[in-house]
Amino acid sequence: MNSYTNFMHKHLLLFCSIGLAAALTGCNTTSGNPEAAAPPPPPSLQVISVTNQPVTLYKEFNASLEGTKNIDIRSQVDGYLEKIFVDEGAFVKKGQPLFRLDARPFTEQLNNARATVLAAKANLSSAEINVSKLEPLVKNNVVSDVQLKTAQAAYDAARANVAQAEAQVSNAQINLGYALISAPVDGYIGRIPSKIGSLVVRNDAQALTVLSEIREVYAYFSLSENDFIQFKNQFAGRTIEDKIKQLPPVELILSDNTVYPQKGKVGTVDGQFSRTMGTISFRASFPNVNGLLRSGNTGKIRIPQSFASTLVIPQEATYELQDKIFVFAVGDSNKVAGKPITVTGRSGNYYLVDKGISPGDKIVYTGLDRLRDGMIIAPKAMSLDSLLKARPM
């Protein structure tokens, strides 16, 4: 038993010696290798030099379209609708028949008026004969001049009756003409609510249809008070009319996000702000030769705003903190520091910067999530021009 104990004791001492030697060897190796204790190298990140660029921004405003003339087609006489010559949505020319009322009552009125004229003219002839007979008798003192004056008054009354009857004929002719309703201008027919046989009334609140003249269309859009102030500050001119003349041609974005092929011009503005909406309305006109636009269409007005030279940075080179936008600027010794910037606009994936950085400053483009103030990086220069060519604004 003692020999076994001695054997185990010797082996245990041997194992402890081996472990201690290994430990001492490891410690010596670590302390003797300065590379193992050195800090990691600075991260290699892409850096952009900020430069001024010519930029055109676009502001969009919701718009509603109307024809230059939206005319309610109404009847000027009462009657039954006898015929409808056009269909809803049809294009019509000026003077083209649209509706016809039953003309028989108006024809009878005209015939009665003409008969009244004949009777009045007959009475006028009789009165004229009486005056002719009495004039020589009065001259020869056969009858008193009172009789002549009475006959002359009857003649004057008969002549007035003729004029009145002729006026009734003219009025009956006008009413008969109103039985046929024609297009006052070129345009497109709107909805036709009345059907053949319906009673048409002059004072009906509902029109027979609406005719839209759309060779040119108006796009109405509104600017907020801030947008209106920016508009006044941006364009030269003493009056609003002068400033509107400086506006460049505007684009119309249709409801399917396509751009209308022809550009328009802003022409007028309301005289005051809406008290309920806090906006002021503008009107732009667009040519519509092919009739692609219709009254009631909606879209957006896109107004360009050009800057000859402004600071441009990619949006990826920024980060947000407490509702502010920052960049990591690269300073001396390649040390980075977060700087707040003032953004005045956006074009695609680029920010337009007004304050915070200057032309020639260098900012970190990628890897912002790994940075903190005071870190040192290994900058890799990247050209903003090449980025703009690869991904235009």
Side-chain angles (χ1 to χ4, degrees), residues 104-393:
R104 289 175 296 178
F106 309 112
T107 302
E108 290 301 317
Q109 290 176 8
L110 178 58
N111 292 335
N112 289 334
R114 285 170 174 168
T116 303
V117 168
L118 294 176
K121 286 183 176 180
N123 292 333
L124 177 61
S125 297
S126 177
E128 186 177 10
I129 292 172
N130 288 335
V131 171
S132 298
K133 289 193 302 183
L134 290 173
E135 282 180 343
L137 296 176
V138 171
K139 185 179 291 186
N140 295 323
N141 295 320
V142 176
V143 296
S144 67
D145 61 348
V146 174
Q147 290 178 307
L148 178 59
K149 290 179 180 179
T150 301
Q152 186 67 45
Y155 172 79
D156 292 340
R159 189 169 61 179
N161 288 336
V162 170
Q164 184 178 25
E166 289 176 341
Q168 290 176 350
V169 170
S170 297
N171 186 62
Q173 288 174 332
I174 291 172
N175 288 338
L176 180 60
Y178 285 153
L180 181 64
I181 302 170
S182 302
V185 295
D186 295 351
Y188 286 87
I189 297 295
R191 182 173 174 268
I192 302 176
S194 299
K195 307 303 177 186
I196 293 178
S198 302
L199 177 62
V200 176
V201 182
R202 286 176 293 177
N203 299 324
D204 196 342
Q206 188 175 49
L208 290 172
T209 189
V210 176
L211 180 61
S212 298
E213 185 180 27
I214 57 173
R215 286 178 296 182
E216 185 180 41
V217 297
Y218 291 146
Y220 292 91
F221 62 100
S222 298
L223 268 63
S224 67
E225 189 170 356
N226 288 336
D227 289 329
F228 185 65
I229 292 174
Q230 291 179 11
F231 157 73
K232 291 193 297 182
N233 293 336
Q234 180 184 356
F235 296 100
R238 298 181 60 185
T239 65
I240 297 299
E241 290 74 15
D242 292 339
K243 294 178 182 292
I244 287 178
K245 292 178 182 178
Q246 302 300 319
L247 272 171
V250 297
E251 293 180 328
L252 176 62
I253 311 301
L254 302 178
S255 58
D256 61 353
N257 290 324
T258 60
V259 180
Y260 183 65
Q262 294 179 286
K263 293 186 177 182
K265 182 65 178 175
V266 178
T268 61
V269 60
D270 275 358
Q272 59 186 5
F273 277 83
S274 168
R275 294 182 179 180
T276 56
M277 303 298 293
T279 58
I280 189 167
S281 294
F282 281 72
R283 188 187 75 188
S285 58
F286 289 85
N288 189 34
V289 178
N290 296 324
L292 298 178
L293 304 177
R294 299 293 181 93
S295 292
N297 284 157
T298 59
K300 292 181 180 180
I301 293 295
R302 177 186 286 172
I303 300 178
Q305 184 179 10
S306 298
F307 299 89
S309 180
T310 188
L311 286 178
V312 175
I313 62 172
Q315 187 178 353
E316 299 94 323
T318 66
Y319 65 97
E320 294 187 16
L321 183 63
Q322 296 180 349
D323 297 330
K324 293 184 178 180
I325 300 177
F326 290 78
V327 296
F328 274 115
V330 182
D332 296 337
S333 304
N334 295 329
K335 186 179 294 185
V336 299
K339 282 189 175 183
I341 60 174
T342 301
V343 174
T344 58
R346 180 176 175 177
S347 178
N349 293 321
Y350 295 88
Y351 280 143
L352 277 62
V353 180
D354 181 43
K355 297 178 182 178
I357 52 177
S358 303
D361 289 351
K362 296 179 179 180
I363 62 172
V364 180
Y365 175 57
T366 57
L368 275 65
D369 55 332
R370 294 179 282 165
L371 296 180
R372 65 179 184 275
D373 279 352
M375 282 187 62
I376 296 175
I377 66 169
K380 294 172 58 179
M382 180 179 180
S383 171
L384 180 60
D385 291 337
S386 62
L387 180 61
L388 288 169
K389 289 180 180 178
R391 195 182 61 188
M393 286 186 287

Side-chain angles (χ1 to χ4, degrees), residues 35-96:
E35 294 182 358
S44 178
L45 299 176
Q46 290 180 319
V47 171
I48 293 177
S49 292
V50 178
T51 59
N52 285 325
Q53 299 286 335
V55 178
T56 299
L57 294 182
Y58 296 91
K59 284 194 172 183
E60 295 182 354
F61 304 92
N62 292 330
S64 59
L65 306 185
E66 293 183 13
T68 53
K69 294 178 182 178
N70 287 328
I71 303 171
D72 287 345
I73 304 300
R74 300 178 182 275
S75 175
Q76 299 188 60
V77 292
D78 299 342
Y80 288 94
L81 186 59
E82 184 178 69
K83 189 171 181 59
I84 300 174
F85 294 96
V86 293
D87 200 359
E88 296 174 347
F91 177 78
V92 296
K93 290 284 189 178
K94 180 179 179 179
Q96 182 175 336

